[in-house]
Amino acid sequence: MKLIVNGDTLSLDGNTIADLVAQLELTGRRLAVEVNRDIIPKSQHADFTLNEGDVLEIVHAIGGG
Amino acid sequence: MSDLLTIAGNTYSSRLLIGTGKYKDFEETRDAIETSGAEIVTVAIRRTNIGQNADEPNLLDYITPDKYTILPNTAGCFTAEDAVRCCKLARELLDGHDLVKLEVLGDQKTLYPNITHTLHAARELIDDGFKVMVYTNDDPIVAKELEDMGCVAVMPLGSLIGSGLGILNPHNIKLIMEEAKVPIIVDAGVGTASDAALAMEMGCDGVLLNSAVAHAQKPVLMASAMKKAIEAGREAFLAGRMPRKAYASASSPLDGLSR
């Protein structure tokens, strides 16, 4: 399915947030995920089913003051 | 001597809070922060790079949440809505950690705080259970309003973010401190060690800085200087400076000279 992840269109071979995170080779990273502006807790990533056209934000911590 | 900084019920022995931006690499970030002795360390929340450098290092592998109190900031947010969203993402990212640095900026040129949006965001975050350390201007009325609202620390600017101009209006910072019951932390504007020492001599509870260390020619050495400046300034404040006098007062007795 097609998703918009951090502003870019992406094709996911799978169904869940965990599938997406794995496809992006980000498994195990400290991340936060929003789907259509709702934060989905880490504990739900394995079960949360994505839908065609969902808009996701995946964020992490970087240097800042 | 036990002289601890208390923020939202937690105590810290260092009164220096430090940012993680603008360093050459994560090794330098880690070394500077370790040297500074800071226990509270700010980070920014940004989109993860997708599809590139899957194995690139992560800041939180170097500055680890088990060693430091990670203080996510809302830098880069220009509206209350964006700032609140950023804090919620940070809380999820950091497993429910609810201490945040709120800054809502007014424009790119000055990065001056937008107080209207800051007040709105602070209210919403506090109602949602966040412990808010708030970046603000040096207006004592606004500072009091943020404190009364429930912010756990009020952090007035010394001068513009990244300017290194020092504390341009120490009189206003003093007015803020006179009325405050929460920690007052000078945030932004510190350029070198004497600026940090001045803030502490005035009686500020702490100093938050980033560029002064990261943009020094030798960041790790400047981190060491800042640690000492904060400690020296704090001790000078606690010791109580002598009164200023217009004329000389001899340190050696004038009597008993050989004639």
Side-chain angles (χ1 to χ4, degrees):
Chain A
M1 75 180 95
K2 291 268 192 290
L3 303 170
I4 298 175
V5 181
N6 290 358
D8 291 327
T9 304
L10 185 150
S11 184
L12 170 66
D13 306 320
N15 298 306
T16 66
I17 292 177
D19 293 338
L20 174 66
V21 170
Q23 180 175 321
L24 297 173
E25 298 180 37
L26 295 171
T27 303
R29 294 294 187 115
R30 198 178 268 276
L31 300 169
V33 178
E34 244 185 25
V35 179
N36 303 327
R37 289 233 161 199
D38 289 326
I39 292 172
I40 310 300
K42 287 178 199 72
S43 58
Q44 297 174 24
H45 287 189
D47 300 322
F48 191 95
T49 306
L50 295 166
N51 294 301
E52 180 80 22
D54 278 348
V55 178
L56 286 88
E57 290 286 322
I58 304 179
V59 301
H60 66 163
I62 65 159
Chain B
M1 181 180 66
S2 171
D3 173 39
L4 301 173
L5 170 63
T6 303
I7 298 174
N10 291 315
T11 54
Y12 303 92
S13 55
S14 171
R15 290 173 179 273
L16 174 58
L17 294 74
I18 197 160
T20 53
K22 303 178 182 173
Y23 289 94
K24 185 180 68 186
D25 51 33
F26 287 147
E27 283 76 18
E28 187 181 75
T29 311
R30 179 196 58 210
D31 293 349
I33 288 167
E34 261 180 31
T35 303
S36 78
E39 295 160 280
I40 302 176
V41 177
T42 66
V43 303
I45 307 298
R46 289 292 181 275
R47 284 175 163 175
T48 301
N49 290 329
I50 300 297
Q52 44 182 314
N53 306 331
D55 56 353
E56 77 181 336
N58 186 315
L59 174 66
L60 295 181
D61 296 334
Y62 288 81
I63 306 297
T64 57
D66 60 336
K67 184 168 176 188
Y68 296 99
T69 296
I70 304 295
L71 182 63
N73 71 25
T74 63
C77 293
F78 287 80
T79 66
E81 186 188 2
D82 284 350
V84 169
R85 184 184 181 197
C86 183
C87 289
K88 290 179 177 174
L89 282 166
R91 182 167 61 183
E92 160 65 12
L93 182 73
L94 295 167
D95 307 320
H97 173 84
D98 54 12
L99 185 71
V100 292
K101 172 183 165 181
L102 172 65
E103 60 176 285
V104 189
L105 304 173
D107 70 19
Q108 290 283 1
K109 182 177 176 181
T110 65
L111 301 180
Y112 214 72
N114 180 321
I115 296 302
T116 312
H117 280 263
T118 300
L119 288 165
H120 283 301
R123 163 56 54 213
E124 197 175 334
L125 289 167
I126 291 164
D127 287 348
D128 195 10
F130 283 95
K131 299 184 179 87
V132 178
M133 301 175 68
V134 60
Y135 171 66
T136 183
N137 58 23
D138 56 11
D139 177 338
I141 306 301
V142 171
K144 192 66 193 164
E145 198 167 338
L146 288 163
E147 174 184 330
D148 290 346
M149 195 184 278
C151 291
V152 298
V154 174
M155 308 201 289
L157 51 76
S159 50
L160 299 183
I161 292 172
S163 69
L165 291 176
I167 299 171
L168 294 185
N169 198 341
H171 305 288
N172 270 30
I173 303 285
K174 277 184 187 157
L175 288 174
I176 290 172
M177 286 185 304
E178 278 173 22
E179 300 302 321
K181 293 183 186 64
V182 295
I184 300 299
I185 293 167
V186 166
D187 180 2
V190 167
T192 189
S194 54
D195 297 333
L198 174 66
M200 298 311 297
E201 283 177 11
M202 285 167 45
C204 289
D205 298 282
V207 171
L208 198 167
L209 58 85
N210 187 154
S211 303
V213 169
H215 278 180
Q217 301 298 311
K218 296 178 180 174
V220 178
L221 189 55
M222 186 58 88
S224 168
M226 288 298 181
K227 179 178 199 276
K228 292 168 183 162
I230 295 283
E231 289 170 0
R234 179 67 183 175
E235 288 185 6
F237 168 72
L238 293 174
R241 63 154 297 143
M242 61 163 281
R244 290 180 169 85
K245 296 174 192 164
Y247 301 105
S249 168
S251 295
S252 307
L254 295 175
D255 299 336
L257 273 176
S258 303
R259 308 232 176 235

